């Protein structure tokens, strides 16, 4: 489901404010600032860090050919490499901002695709006309998903969903502005690579340089900052996009005056009044041609407030235009803010609190809660489980409890499920009805935290957890099974020594596995014995994980020559060489010794453990988000990245194991204690490094008590 907040307005002429294109910006702060067409060159701008904010700004005049090509994207301004980047593109006369935040080149699903969960998104900015100058800026803040932009003075805000908190926004830092006849093949900005069929207009393989109108004024800029909308009318109350606003308690609207560019935090002294306009509209989209009412509000101290009444079921669209020095309404001197909107409580039941996803163990309870407001008494309230068809959840089942409490117009209904089992997994929602109609809540998922796959390798390839059995590529070799840390282990070394094909799950669709489905989390764990440099050569060896199709991998790998551990994922690697985080000497697998390797990750970060101890943490790491085969000893083909050694007790979980749970895996086999966190606050006085504060630490501290460096000294101890 896409999430979209759309607000449209007109900014004052950019020349009135500081910054040639972006109000409030200092052009000297631009990472790059071009006034001539330019093809991409690696390391054009400096790196952006942290990778959460970026602003593109451009002035250009397209030629007829630039806005009429029905099949090829035309680059305006972009930065990026083959994996990360974004920029402005003309797609058959439509100006689009496209963004790519990871490997795999997943195509945008349309010219406007606000879901960044698949590492690609795009926003329609507006339609262009041949030989008419365009002035546009766009600010992206990944910490909130907010995309704020202005094209030819029209200001709007949209919002990405499923966005990472930060990412590499500039790729290899190769910038193209309009192009000078060709483009550097080493970068693609925000476009996908390869033939993605339906979306050729956002495909880097089809990209063209912009021709433009000869002699036209051009400028392209990239900033490591975002536009501050306090320079326009801002902070409305109710907040724009608010829902379930109660008309009985909200009897006025308010906002803050545009701030003074020369004195941030203070009101713009040139504002002499505020023009307010109410528009018709529906579902967040204002109809700018249908004005309901207009009024003028005197300037004064913030917040500016005025009375307003509305009814249940209303959707309100309103806009403030700051009058500058007495100018008439609509004057270019004035500053127009966005069109704000909010929705009142419905006449049918309104959901104030939606049920939330439940991720629990089998011995825990799952609890879903719906908070409902209804102006008329609720006549029917039911819980459902999604199915074909959806099924009413019946509290005659002893494991089901449904309670509903009423407090005036507010109702709270709670569904509790006990004695959980796999059959309980699914989507749940509630539905309420009053005399005016029926309304349905959002669905929430119930997932059990569990061991999804467990390969013990005790003489066979079976999965004792869920039946995702391994199908070997080749027949069994003599000595394929050997003594492991727990029973038997799988001998991968002899596969390489005898030039045989390694082991893989292979198989059909039924064998595909997506552990993070419904949880967004994953843990891989396996005992590994590395047998030294791999005679097969190459760089990496794949021990355990999925196949990495399209770059969506999550796998334990090692350097073939040195045994350095390496965890791969869609958005990068956890690798001691690259991350420089691994402490002490625990950098490599130890030849001919068993090591427990555990990796955990969610959609934004990951951890790596060796022998139950945390050795690496990476905030730019994430799990695979697709269904693939699990491979043991190779990556997806008979000769691709073969492992060299032995593997035992390989596990896949659909949740993140805690530090203590990972330590327990190691303790269960070895009986050895593990210090799960050397940096814990309660270990600040652990002077001898044994992961506990004891008398030995007191002795260490006491050893220096009789020493003094006081000056002057009085001679006493």
């Amino acid at each position: 489901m896409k999430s979209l907040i759309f607000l449209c307005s007109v900014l004052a002429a950019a020349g009135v404010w500081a910054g040639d294109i972006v109000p409030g910006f200092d052009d000297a702060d631009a990472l790059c600032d071009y006034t001539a067409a330019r093809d991409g060159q690696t390391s054009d701008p400096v790196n952006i860090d942290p990778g959460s904010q970026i602003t593109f700004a451009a002035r250009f005049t397209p030629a007829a050919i630039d806005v009429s090509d029905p099949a090829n994207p035309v680059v305006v301004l972009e930065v990026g490499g083959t994996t990360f980047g974004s920029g402005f593109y003309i797609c058959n006369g439509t100006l689009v901002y496209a963004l790519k935040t990871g490997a795999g080149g997943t195509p945008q699903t349309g010219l406007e695709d606000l879901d960044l969960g698949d590492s690609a998104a795009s926003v329609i900015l507006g339609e262009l006309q041949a030989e008419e100058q365009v002035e546009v800026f766009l600010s992206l803040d990944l910490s909130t998903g907010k995309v704020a932009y202005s094209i030819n003075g029209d200001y709007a805000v949209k919002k990405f969903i499923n966005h990472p908190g930060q990412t590499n926004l500039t790729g290899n830092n190769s910038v193209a502005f309009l192009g000078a006849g060709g483009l550097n093949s080493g970068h693609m900005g925000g476009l996908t690579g390869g033939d993605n069929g339906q979306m050729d207009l956002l495909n880097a393989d089809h990209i063209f340089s912009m021709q433009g109108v000869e002699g036209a004024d051009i400028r392209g800029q990239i900033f490591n900052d975002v536009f501050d909308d306090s320079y326009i009318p801002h902070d409305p109350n109710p907040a724009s996009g608010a829902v379930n606003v109660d008309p009985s308690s909200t009897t006025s609207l308010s906002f803050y005056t545009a701030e003074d560019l020369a004195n941030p935090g203070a009101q713009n002294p040139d504002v002499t009044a505020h023009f307010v306009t109410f528009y018709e509209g529906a579902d967040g989209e204002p109809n700018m041609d249908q004005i309901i009412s207009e009024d003028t509000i005197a300037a004064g101290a913030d917040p500016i407030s005025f009375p307003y009444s509305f009814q249940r079921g209303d959707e309100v669209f309103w806009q403030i235009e700051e009058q500058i020095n007495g100018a008439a309404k609509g004057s270019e001197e004035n500053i127009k803010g966005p069109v704000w909107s909010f929705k009142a409580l419905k006449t049918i039941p309104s959901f104030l609190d939606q049920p939330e996803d439940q991720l629990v163990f089998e011995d825990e309870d799952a609890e879903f809660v719906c908070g409902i407001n209804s102006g008329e008494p609720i006549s029917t309230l039911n819980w459902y489980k999604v199915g074909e068809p959806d099924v009413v959840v019946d509290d005659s089942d002893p494991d089901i409890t449904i309670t509903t409490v009423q407090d005036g117009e507010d109702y709270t209904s709670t569904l509790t499920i006990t004695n959980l089992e796999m059959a309980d997994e699914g989507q749940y929602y509630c539905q309420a009805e009053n005399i005016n109609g029926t309304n349905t809540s959002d669905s929430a998922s119930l997932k059990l935290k569990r061991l999804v796959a467990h390969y013990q390798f005790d003489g066979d390839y079976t999965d004792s957890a869920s039946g995702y059995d391994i199908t070997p590529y080749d027949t069994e070799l003599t000595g394929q099974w050997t003594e492991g840390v727990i029973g038997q282990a799988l001998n991968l070394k002899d596969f390489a020594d005898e030039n045989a094909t390694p082991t893989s799950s292979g198989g059909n669709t039924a064998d595909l596995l997506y552990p993070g489905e419904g949880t967004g989390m994953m843990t891989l764990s396996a005992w590994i014995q590395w047998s030294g440099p791999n005679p097969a050569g190459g760089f990496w060896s794949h021990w355990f994980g999925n196949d990495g199709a399209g770059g969506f991998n999550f796998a334990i790998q090692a350097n073939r020559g040195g045994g350095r551990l390496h965890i791969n994922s869609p958005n990068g690697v956890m690798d001691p060489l690259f991350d420089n985080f691994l402490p002490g000497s625990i950098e490599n697998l130890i030849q001919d010794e068993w090591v427990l390797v555990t990796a955990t990750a969610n959609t934004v970060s990951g951890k790596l453990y060796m022998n139950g101890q945390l050795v690496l943490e990476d905030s730019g790491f994430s799990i695979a988000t697709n269904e693939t085969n699990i491979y043991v000893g190779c990556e997806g083909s008979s000769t691709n990245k073969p492992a060299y050694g032995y593997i035992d007790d390989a596990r896949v979980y659909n949740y993140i194991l805690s530090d203590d749970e990972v330590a327990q895996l190691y303790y269960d086999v070895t009986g050895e204690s593990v210090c799960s966190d050397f940096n814990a606050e309660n270990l600040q006085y652990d002077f001898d490094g044994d992961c506990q504060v004891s008398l030995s630490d007191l002795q260490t501290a006491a050893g220096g008590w009789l020493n003094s460096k006081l000056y002057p000294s009085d001679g006493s101890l």
Side-chain angles (χ1 to χ4, degrees):
M1 179 68 69
K2 308 281 184 190
S3 173
L4 170 64
I5 302 174
F6 182 84
L7 311 103
C8 181
S9 73
V10 180
L11 289 173
V16 177
W17 296 355
D20 184 27
I21 301 175
V22 187
F25 275 28
D26 185 342
D27 292 329
D29 292 336
L31 296 174
C32 56
D33 192 349
Y34 301 137
T35 55
R38 179 183 175 89
D39 292 331
Q41 299 295 325
T42 300
S43 299
D44 280 340
V46 298
N47 288 324
I48 291 181
D49 185 25
S52 59
Q53 296 181 338
I54 194 168
T55 292
F56 290 81
R59 181 188 300 117
F60 60 96
T61 303
I65 191 173
D66 298 322
V67 297
S68 60
D69 193 326
N72 303 295
V74 177
V75 65
V76 176
L77 174 66
E78 70 172 11
V79 60
T82 58
T83 303
F84 300 89
S86 63
F88 294 142
Y89 307 91
I90 302 174
C91 300
N92 195 20
T94 300
L95 186 63
V96 174
Y97 171 73
L99 171 67
K100 188 167 61 172
T101 66
T106 303
Q108 290 84 356
T109 58
L111 293 185
E112 179 137 312
D113 172 8
L114 300 175
D115 190 343
L116 198 47
D118 58 2
S119 301
S122 52
V123 177
I124 292 177
L125 307 182
E127 301 300 316
L128 305 184
Q129 300 297 323
E131 301 185 0
E132 290 188 8
Q133 180 176 280
V134 181
E135 196 162 88
V136 58
F137 73 80
L138 178 143
S139 291
L140 168 65
D141 186 345
L142 280 177
S143 66
T144 61
K146 179 180 177 181
V147 183
Y149 62 91
S150 168
I151 176 169
N152 294 331
D154 289 341
Y155 181 75
V157 175
K158 299 183 181 180
K159 197 166 187 178
F160 288 144
I161 62 171
N162 299 318
H163 53 89
Q166 63 177 21
T167 188
N168 179 345
L169 288 168
T170 59
N172 66 4
N173 300 325
S174 179
V175 178
F177 175 51
L178 308 182
L183 292 174
N184 185 332
S185 61
H187 72 108
M188 302 187 293
L191 302 190
T192 61
D195 185 8
N196 58 35
Q198 62 177 343
M199 279 312 300
D200 286 347
L201 277 173
L202 288 176
N203 191 324
D205 287 357
H206 302 272
I207 197 168
F208 275 58
S209 295
M210 179 175 160
Q211 179 171 306
V213 173
E214 186 175 355
D217 184 20
I218 60 174
R219 189 169 193 175
Q221 300 172 306
I222 300 177
F223 297 86
N224 181 14
D225 201 355
V226 291
F227 173 68
D228 184 352
D229 56 13
S230 63
Y231 298 129
I232 60 177
H234 57 283
D235 291 344
N237 186 27
S240 190
V243 296
N244 296 325
V245 180
D246 189 347
S248 66
S249 59
T250 303
T251 57
S252 64
L253 308 182
S254 67
F255 63 94
Y256 281 75
T257 306
E259 292 184 5
D260 183 7
L261 280 171
N263 187 18
Q267 288 181 325
N268 188 325
D270 297 328
V271 173
T272 50
H274 313 275
F275 301 117
V276 58
T277 305
F278 289 88
Y279 300 97
E280 289 190 0
D283 297 325
E285 297 284 352
N287 186 340
M288 306 296 286
D289 296 327
Q290 297 296 319
I291 296 176
I292 297 175
S293 64
E294 300 175 277
D295 200 358
T296 301
I297 302 168
D302 286 332
I304 307 297
S305 180
F306 59 96
Y308 185 76
S309 62
F310 56 99
Q311 307 297 320
R312 276 183 177 265
D314 286 350
E315 185 170 7
V316 179
F317 297 87
W318 58 300
Q319 180 184 38
I320 298 298
E321 177 183 335
E322 308 282 32
Q323 182 191 53
I324 301 297
N325 295 323
K329 189 174 188 297
S331 169
E332 289 187 358
E333 296 181 34
N334 296 341
I335 303 174
K336 282 188 178 179
V339 172
W340 296 313
S341 68
F342 63 88
K343 293 180 180 180
L345 288 167
K346 296 179 172 63
T347 56
I348 60 177
S350 297
F351 287 95
L352 306 182
D353 296 303
Q354 301 281 357
E356 297 182 353
D357 292 345
Q358 300 289 296
L359 178 61
V360 293
F361 290 108
E362 287 185 341
D363 59 354
E364 297 177 329
D365 296 343
E367 185 175 273
F368 298 100
V369 179
C370 276
I372 311 166
N373 177 278
S374 181
E376 300 290 341
I378 290 179
S379 56
T380 305
L381 197 158
N382 287 317
W383 284 90
Y384 291 84
K385 183 180 181 184
V386 175
E388 295 181 359
D390 295 354
V391 178
V392 175
V393 179
D394 188 354
D395 60 2
S396 63
D397 184 331
D399 294 331
I400 302 294
T401 302
I402 298 175
T403 59
T404 301
V405 178
Q406 181 180 358
D407 181 9
E409 294 183 347
D410 294 331
Y411 299 75
T412 302
S413 184
T414 304
L415 165 64
T416 304
I417 307 175
T418 60
N419 298 318
L420 295 169
E421 54 189 31
M422 287 292 296
D424 294 318
E425 288 194 333
Q427 298 284 324
Y428 293 82
Y429 64 89
C430 63
Q431 189 175 82
E433 181 179 9
N434 66 15
I435 194 172
N436 295 312
T438 301
N439 199 11
T440 301
S441 75
D442 295 341
S443 295
S445 71
L446 169 58
K447 292 287 290 186
L448 299 184
K449 290 182 179 180
R450 63 189 183 91
L451 179 63
V452 177
H454 187 190
Y455 304 104
Q456 296 170 294
F457 299 122
D458 284 340
D460 59 43
Y461 297 99
T462 60
D463 165 26
S464 60
S466 305
Y468 291 99
D469 296 345
I470 292 172
T471 302
Y473 271 125
D474 218 339
T475 56
E476 292 190 12
L477 298 175
T478 302
Q480 181 172 346
W481 307 105
T482 187
E483 182 180 356
V485 290
I486 309 173
Q488 291 184 302
L490 177 60
N491 179 350
L492 298 170
K493 178 177 178 291
D494 285 350
F495 277 107
D497 288 342
E498 299 187 24
N499 294 317
T501 51
T503 303
S504 164
S505 63
N508 54 38
T509 304
D511 296 321
L512 298 181
L513 179 64
Y514 174 19
E517 184 176 15
T519 69
M521 296 182 283
M522 184 177 183
T523 297
L524 294 183
S525 186
W527 282 91
I528 292 172
Q529 184 180 127
W530 177 60
S531 296
N534 196 324
F539 196 55
W540 296 113
S541 59
H542 179 104
W543 287 86
F544 182 53
N546 65 347
D547 63 1
F552 291 103
N553 52 336
F554 186 67
I556 297 172
Q557 298 180 337
N559 174 279
R560 289 184 184 175
R564 188 180 73 247
L565 203 59
H566 170 100
I567 307 299
N568 213 347
S569 86
N571 287 336
V573 298
M574 281 196 292
D575 185 311
L577 177 66
F578 301 144
D579 295 273
N580 195 29
F581 193 92
L582 208 58
S585 60
I586 311 175
E587 297 183 1
N588 299 336
L589 296 171
I590 302 172
Q591 185 170 341
D592 298 327
E593 289 190 16
W594 284 104
V595 176
L596 176 63
V597 178
T598 308
T600 71
N602 54 24
T603 56
V604 296
S605 64
K607 292 181 177 181
L608 171 63
Y609 301 79
M610 295 181 70
N611 288 337
Q613 180 181 321
L614 177 65
V615 294
L616 187 63
E617 198 165 358
D618 194 325
S619 61
F621 199 75
S622 66
I623 66 168
T625 55
N626 62 339
E627 213 175 42
T628 65
N629 288 307
I630 293 293
Y631 288 83
V632 178
C634 68
E635 186 190 64
S637 68
S638 61
T639 59
N640 190 21
K641 301 181 180 178
Y644 194 62
Y646 305 86
I647 187 169
D648 195 7
D649 199 53
R651 304 174 181 228
V652 183
Y653 297 83
N654 70 345
Y655 65 100
I656 292 176
L657 269 63
S658 67
D659 293 349
D660 288 346
E661 288 172 319
V662 175
Q664 185 69 42
L665 287 179
Y666 181 74
Y667 181 81
D668 286 343
V669 173
T670 66
E672 297 177 5
S673 298
V674 174
C675 187
S676 59
D677 186 1
F678 282 112
N679 299 313
E681 184 178 354
N682 62 342
L683 294 183
Q684 58 181 314
Y685 300 115
D686 175 23
F687 300 119
D688 59 10
D690 65 353
C691 205
Q692 58 184 344
V693 178
S694 62
L695 288 176
S696 65
D697 298 301
L698 178 60
Q699 183 178 9
T700 300
W705 281 358
L706 299 183
N707 296 323
S708 172
K709 292 294 183 181
L710 289 176
Y711 179 86
S713 173
D714 61 4
S716 63
L717 294 178

mmCIF file of all heavy atoms in Angstrom, residues 354-372:
data_model
loop_
_atom_site.group_PDB
_atom_site.id
_atom_site.type_symbol
_atom_site.label_atom_id
_atom_site.label_comp_id
_atom_site.label_asym_id
_atom_site.label_seq_id
_atom_site.Cartn_x
_atom_site.Cartn_y
_atom_site.Cartn_z
ATOM 1 N N GLN A 354 -5.108 1.259 15.673
ATOM 2 C CA GLN A 354 -5.137 0.109 14.783
ATOM 3 C C GLN A 354 -4.423 -1.076 15.439
ATOM 4 O O GLN A 354 -3.496 -0.896 16.237
ATOM 5 C CB GLN A 354 -4.447 0.442 13.460
ATOM 6 C CG GLN A 354 -5.063 1.603 12.700
ATOM 7 C CD GLN A 354 -6.325 1.208 11.954
ATOM 8 O OE1 GLN A 354 -6.725 0.044 11.957
ATOM 9 N NE2 GLN A 354 -6.962 2.171 11.300
ATOM 10 N N PRO A 355 -4.822 -2.304 15.119
ATOM 11 C CA PRO A 355 -4.085 -3.469 15.643
ATOM 12 C C PRO A 355 -2.650 -3.469 15.131
ATOM 13 O O PRO A 355 -2.377 -3.037 14.009
ATOM 14 C CB PRO A 355 -4.879 -4.661 15.105
ATOM 15 C CG PRO A 355 -5.654 -4.126 13.938
ATOM 16 C CD PRO A 355 -5.935 -2.690 14.237
ATOM 17 N N GLU A 356 -1.718 -3.922 15.962
ATOM 18 C CA GLU A 356 -0.300 -3.923 15.630
ATOM 19 C C GLU A 356 0.200 -5.349 15.422
ATOM 20 O O GLU A 356 -0.308 -6.293 16.032
ATOM 21 C CB GLU A 356 0.509 -3.246 16.740
ATOM 22 C CG GLU A 356 0.151 -1.779 16.924
ATOM 23 C CD GLU A 356 0.993 -1.121 18.001
ATOM 24 O OE1 GLU A 356 1.755 -1.847 18.688
ATOM 25 O OE2 GLU A 356 0.881 0.106 18.173
ATOM 26 N N ASP A 357 1.216 -5.483 14.553
ATOM 27 C CA ASP A 357 1.800 -6.796 14.270
ATOM 28 C C ASP A 357 2.299 -7.452 15.553
ATOM 29 O O ASP A 357 2.834 -6.780 16.447
ATOM 30 C CB ASP A 357 2.958 -6.659 13.286
ATOM 31 C CG ASP A 357 2.510 -6.235 11.897
ATOM 32 O OD1 ASP A 357 1.302 -6.316 11.620
ATOM 33 O OD2 ASP A 357 3.369 -5.795 11.109
ATOM 34 N N GLN A 358 2.153 -8.764 15.622
ATOM 35 C CA GLN A 358 2.592 -9.539 16.773
ATOM 36 C C GLN A 358 3.662 -10.544 16.335
ATOM 37 O O GLN A 358 3.438 -11.331 15.417
ATOM 38 C CB GLN A 358 1.413 -10.292 17.393
ATOM 39 C CG GLN A 358 0.285 -9.394 17.884
ATOM 40 C CD GLN A 358 0.687 -8.614 19.111
ATOM 41 O OE1 GLN A 358 0.952 -9.170 20.172
ATOM 42 N NE2 GLN A 358 0.751 -7.301 18.963
ATOM 43 N N LEU A 359 4.825 -10.480 16.972
ATOM 44 C CA LEU A 359 5.898 -11.440 16.738
ATOM 45 C C LEU A 359 6.248 -12.044 18.093
ATOM 46 O O LEU A 359 6.884 -11.406 18.932
ATOM 47 C CB LEU A 359 7.118 -10.749 16.121
ATOM 48 C CG LEU A 359 8.346 -11.626 15.851
ATOM 49 C CD1 LEU A 359 8.025 -12.742 14.879
ATOM 50 C CD2 LEU A 359 9.510 -10.796 15.349
ATOM 51 N N VAL A 360 5.807 -13.268 18.332
ATOM 52 C CA VAL A 360 5.891 -13.865 19.673
ATOM 53 C C VAL A 360 6.330 -15.326 19.577
ATOM 54 O O VAL A 360 6.220 -15.961 18.526
ATOM 55 C CB VAL A 360 4.528 -13.789 20.400
ATOM 56 C CG1 VAL A 360 4.164 -12.344 20.702
ATOM 57 C CG2 VAL A 360 3.431 -14.442 19.568
ATOM 58 N N PHE A 361 6.794 -15.854 20.695
ATOM 59 C CA PHE A 361 7.104 -17.274 20.791
ATOM 60 C C PHE A 361 5.816 -18.060 21.046
ATOM 61 O O PHE A 361 4.795 -17.498 21.454
ATOM 62 C CB PHE A 361 8.095 -17.537 21.930
ATOM 63 C CG PHE A 361 9.480 -17.023 21.674
ATOM 64 C CD1 PHE A 361 9.961 -15.915 22.355
ATOM 65 C CD2 PHE A 361 10.308 -17.650 20.754
ATOM 66 C CE1 PHE A 361 11.233 -15.438 22.127
ATOM 67 C CE2 PHE A 361 11.589 -17.185 20.518
ATOM 68 C CZ PHE A 361 12.057 -16.076 21.198
ATOM 69 N N GLU A 362 5.891 -19.363 20.823
ATOM 70 C CA GLU A 362 4.705 -20.203 20.971
ATOM 71 C C GLU A 362 4.148 -20.194 22.387
ATOM 72 O O GLU A 362 2.953 -20.361 22.587
ATOM 73 C CB GLU A 362 5.023 -21.645 20.551
ATOM 74 C CG GLU A 362 5.182 -21.820 19.042
ATOM 75 C CD GLU A 362 5.382 -23.268 18.643
ATOM 76 O OE1 GLU A 362 5.750 -24.063 19.530
ATOM 77 O OE2 GLU A 362 5.159 -23.600 17.476
ATOM 78 N N ASP A 363 5.003 -19.989 23.394
ATOM 79 C CA ASP A 363 4.519 -20.018 24.766
ATOM 80 C C ASP A 363 4.064 -18.647 25.264
ATOM 81 O O ASP A 363 3.774 -18.468 26.446
ATOM 82 C CB ASP A 363 5.588 -20.582 25.707
ATOM 83 C CG ASP A 363 6.878 -19.768 25.675
ATOM 84 O OD1 ASP A 363 6.981 -18.836 24.846
ATOM 85 O OD2 ASP A 363 7.788 -20.067 26.478
ATOM 86 N N GLU A 364 4.006 -17.669 24.362
ATOM 87 C CA GLU A 364 3.522 -16.336 24.706
ATOM 88 C C GLU A 364 2.111 -16.140 24.162
ATOM 89 O O GLU A 364 1.609 -16.952 23.374
ATOM 90 C CB GLU A 364 4.462 -15.262 24.151
ATOM 91 C CG GLU A 364 5.863 -15.311 24.735
ATOM 92 C CD GLU A 364 6.789 -14.285 24.101
ATOM 93 O OE1 GLU A 364 6.608 -13.953 22.909
ATOM 94 O OE2 GLU A 364 7.702 -13.817 24.799
ATOM 95 N N ASP A 365 1.468 -15.041 24.571
ATOM 96 C CA ASP A 365 0.144 -14.698 24.062
ATOM 97 C C ASP A 365 0.267 -13.624 22.991
ATOM 98 O O ASP A 365 1.148 -12.758 23.053
ATOM 99 C CB ASP A 365 -0.752 -14.167 25.191
ATOM 100 C CG ASP A 365 -1.035 -15.204 26.255
ATOM 101 O OD1 ASP A 365 -0.817 -16.399 25.977
ATOM 102 O OD2 ASP A 365 -1.456 -14.818 27.360
ATOM 103 N N ALA A 366 -0.617 -13.665 22.001
ATOM 104 C CA ALA A 366 -0.718 -12.614 20.991
ATOM 105 C C ALA A 366 -1.926 -11.749 21.336
ATOM 106 O O ALA A 366 -2.993 -12.270 21.657
ATOM 107 C CB ALA A 366 -0.875 -13.213 19.602
ATOM 108 N N GLU A 367 -1.757 -10.433 21.250
ATOM 109 C CA GLU A 367 -2.848 -9.527 21.620
ATOM 110 C C GLU A 367 -2.996 -8.434 20.573
ATOM 111 O O GLU A 367 -2.050 -7.697 20.284
ATOM 112 C CB GLU A 367 -2.574 -8.911 22.992
ATOM 113 C CG GLU A 367 -3.711 -8.056 23.526
ATOM 114 C CD GLU A 367 -3.447 -7.558 24.936
ATOM 115 O OE1 GLU A 367 -3.773 -8.292 25.891
ATOM 116 O OE2 GLU A 367 -2.897 -6.440 25.062
ATOM 117 N N PHE A 368 -4.185 -8.319 20.006
ATOM 118 C CA PHE A 368 -4.518 -7.271 19.044
ATOM 119 C C PHE A 368 -5.548 -6.340 19.677
ATOM 120 O O PHE A 368 -6.502 -6.805 20.317
ATOM 121 C CB PHE A 368 -5.090 -7.863 17.760
ATOM 122 C CG PHE A 368 -4.143 -8.776 17.023
ATOM 123 C CD1 PHE A 368 -4.259 -10.156 17.131
ATOM 124 C CD2 PHE A 368 -3.136 -8.259 16.233
ATOM 125 C CE1 PHE A 368 -3.401 -11.004 16.457
ATOM 126 C CE2 PHE A 368 -2.259 -9.104 15.556
ATOM 127 C CZ PHE A 368 -2.392 -10.470 15.664
ATOM 128 N N VAL A 369 -5.370 -5.029 19.473
ATOM 129 C CA VAL A 369 -6.268 -4.051 20.078
ATOM 130 C C VAL A 369 -6.757 -3.076 19.020
ATOM 131 O O VAL A 369 -5.972 -2.557 18.213
ATOM 132 C CB VAL A 369 -5.569 -3.267 21.201
ATOM 133 C CG1 VAL A 369 -6.514 -2.227 21.801
ATOM 134 C CG2 VAL A 369 -5.068 -4.220 22.282
ATOM 135 N N CYS A 370 -8.069 -2.807 19.006
ATOM 136 C CA CYS A 370 -8.672 -1.785 18.164
ATOM 137 C C CYS A 370 -9.290 -0.714 19.062
ATOM 138 O O CYS A 370 -10.092 -1.035 19.948
ATOM 139 C CB CYS A 370 -9.774 -2.365 17.278
ATOM 140 S SG CYS A 370 -9.177 -3.109 15.756
ATOM 141 N N GLY A 371 -8.910 0.555 18.850
ATOM 142 C CA GLY A 371 -9.549 1.672 19.527
ATOM 143 C C GLY A 371 -10.484 2.364 18.562
ATOM 144 O O GLY A 371 -10.074 2.772 17.463
ATOM 145 N N ILE A 372 -11.759 2.520 18.915
ATOM 146 C CA ILE A 372 -12.788 2.979 17.977
ATOM 147 C C ILE A 372 -13.562 4.135 18.586
ATOM 148 O O ILE A 372 -13.870 4.135 19.783
ATOM 149 C CB ILE A 372 -13.759 1.829 17.636
ATOM 150 C CG1 ILE A 372 -12.983 0.565 17.239
ATOM 151 C CG2 ILE A 372 -14.732 2.236 16.530
ATOM 152 C CD1 ILE A 372 -13.824 -0.687 17.217
#
